[in-house]
Coordinates of all heavy atoms in Angstrom, one line a residue:
I124 N 93.9 112.4 85.5 CA 93.3 112.4 84.2 C 94.0 111.3 83.3 O 93.3 110.6 82.6 CB 93.5 113.8 83.5 CG1 92.5 114.8 84.2 CG2 93.2 113.7 82.0 CD1 92.8 116.3 83.8
H125 N 95.3 111.3 83.4 CA 96.0 110.3 82.5 C 96.0 108.9 83.1 O 95.8 107.9 82.4 CB 97.4 110.8 82.2 CG 97.4 112.1 81.4 ND1 97.2 113.3 82.0 CD2 97.4 112.3 80.1 CE1 97.2 114.3 81.0 NE2 97.4 113.6 79.8
G126 N 96.1 108.8 84.4 CA 96.1 107.5 85.1 C 94.8 106.8 85.0 O 94.8 105.6 84.7
L127 N 93.7 107.6 85.1 CA 92.4 106.9 85.0 C 92.0 106.6 83.6 O 91.0 105.8 83.4 CB 91.3 107.9 85.6 CG 91.4 108.1 87.1 CD1 90.5 109.3 87.5 CD2 90.9 106.9 87.9
S128 N 92.8 107.1 82.6 CA 92.4 106.8 81.3 C 92.7 105.3 80.9 O 92.2 104.8 79.9 CB 93.2 107.7 80.3 OG 94.6 107.5 80.4
F129 N 93.3 104.6 81.8 CA 93.5 103.1 81.6 C 92.1 102.5 81.9 O 91.8 101.4 81.4 CB 94.5 102.6 82.6 CG 96.0 102.9 82.3 CD1 96.7 103.7 83.1 CD2 96.6 102.5 81.1 CE1 98.0 104.0 82.9 CE2 97.8 102.8 80.8 CZ 98.6 103.5 81.7
L130 N 91.3 103.1 82.8 CA 90.0 102.5 83.2 C 88.7 102.9 82.6 O 87.9 102.2 82.3 CB 89.9 102.7 84.7 CG 90.8 102.0 85.6 CD1 92.0 102.9 85.9 CD2 90.1 101.8 87.0
V131 N 88.7 104.2 82.3 CA 87.4 104.8 81.7 C 87.7 105.7 80.5 O 88.9 106.2 80.3 CB 86.7 105.6 82.9 CG1 86.1 104.7 83.8 CG2 87.7 106.6 83.5
E132 N 86.7 106.0 79.8 CA 86.8 106.9 78.7 C 85.5 107.7 78.6 O 84.6 107.5 79.4 CB 87.0 106.0 77.4 CG 85.8 105.0 77.1 CD 86.2 104.0 76.0 OE1 87.2 104.2 75.4 OE2 85.4 103.2 75.7
K133 N 85.5 108.6 77.6 CA 84.3 109.5 77.5 C 83.0 108.7 77.5 O 82.8 107.7 77.0 CB 84.5 110.2 76.1 CG 83.4 111.3 75.9 CD 83.6 112.0 74.6 CE 82.5 112.9 74.2 NZ 82.8 113.7 72.9
N134 N 82.0 109.3 78.2 CA 80.6 108.8 78.4 C 80.5 107.6 79.4 O 79.5 107.1 79.6 CB 80.0 108.3 77.1 CG 79.9 109.5 76.2 OD1 79.6 110.7 76.6 ND2 80.1 109.4 74.9
D135 N 81.7 107.1 80.0 CA 81.6 106.2 81.1 C 81.1 106.9 82.4 O 81.0 108.1 82.4 CB 83.0 105.5 81.3 CG 83.3 104.5 80.3 OD1 82.3 103.9 79.8 OD2 84.4 104.2 80.1
T136 N 80.8 106.1 83.3 CA 80.3 106.6 84.7 C 81.1 105.9 85.8 O 81.0 104.7 85.9 CB 78.8 106.4 84.9 OG1 78.1 107.0 83.8 CG2 78.3 107.0 86.2
M137 N 81.8 106.7 86.6 CA 82.7 106.1 87.6 C 82.1 106.5 89.0 O 81.9 107.7 89.3 CB 84.1 106.5 87.5 CG 85.0 106.1 88.6 SD 86.8 106.4 88.3 CE 87.3 104.8 87.7
M138 N 81.9 105.5 89.8 CA 81.6 105.7 91.3 C 82.8 106.0 92.0 O 83.7 105.2 92.0 CB 80.7 104.7 91.8 CG 80.5 104.8 93.4 SD 79.2 103.7 94.0 CE 77.8 104.8 93.5
I139 N 82.8 107.1 92.8 CA 83.9 107.4 93.7 C 83.6 107.0 95.2 O 82.8 107.6 95.8 CB 84.3 109.0 93.6 CG1 84.6 109.3 92.2 CG2 85.5 109.2 94.6 CD1 84.7 110.8 92.0
M140 N 84.3 105.9 95.6 CA 84.0 105.4 96.9 C 85.2 105.8 97.9 O 85.9 105.0 98.5 CB 83.8 103.9 97.0 CG 82.5 103.5 96.3 SD 82.3 101.7 96.2 CE 82.3 101.3 97.9
M141 N 85.5 107.2 97.9 CA 86.6 107.7 98.6 C 86.0 109.0 99.3 O 85.0 109.5 98.8 CB 87.7 108.1 97.7 CG 88.3 107.0 96.8 SD 89.3 105.8 97.6 CE 90.8 106.8 97.8
P142 N 86.7 109.5 100.3 CA 86.2 110.7 100.9 C 86.2 111.8 100.0 O 87.1 112.1 99.2 CB 87.3 111.0 102.0 CG 87.8 109.7 102.3 CD 87.8 108.9 101.1
C143 N 85.0 112.4 99.8 CA 84.8 113.5 98.7 C 84.0 114.7 99.2 O 83.7 115.6 98.4 CB 84.2 112.8 97.5 SG 82.7 111.9 97.8
E144 N 83.7 114.7 100.5 CA 82.9 115.9 101.0 C 83.6 117.2 101.0 O 83.0 118.2 100.6 CB 82.4 115.6 102.5 CG 81.5 114.4 102.6 CD 82.4 113.1 102.7 OE1 83.6 113.2 102.8 OE2 81.8 112.0 102.7
R145 N 84.9 117.3 101.3 CA 85.6 118.5 101.3 C 86.3 118.8 100.0 O 86.6 118.0 99.2 CB 86.7 118.4 102.4 CG 86.2 118.2 103.8 CD 87.4 118.2 104.7 NE 87.0 118.0 106.1 CZ 87.8 118.0 107.2 NH1 89.2 118.1 107.0 NH2 87.4 117.9 108.4

Side-chain angles (χ1 to χ4, degrees):
I124 289 169
H125 295 85
L127 289 170
S128 62
F129 290 117
L130 288 91
V131 287
E132 57 190 358
K133 182 179 178 180
N134 298 325
D135 281 334
T136 302
M137 173 175 267
M138 171 165 278
I139 302 171
M140 294 177 61
M141 308 280 286
C143 50
E144 297 82 7
R145 295 184 181 180

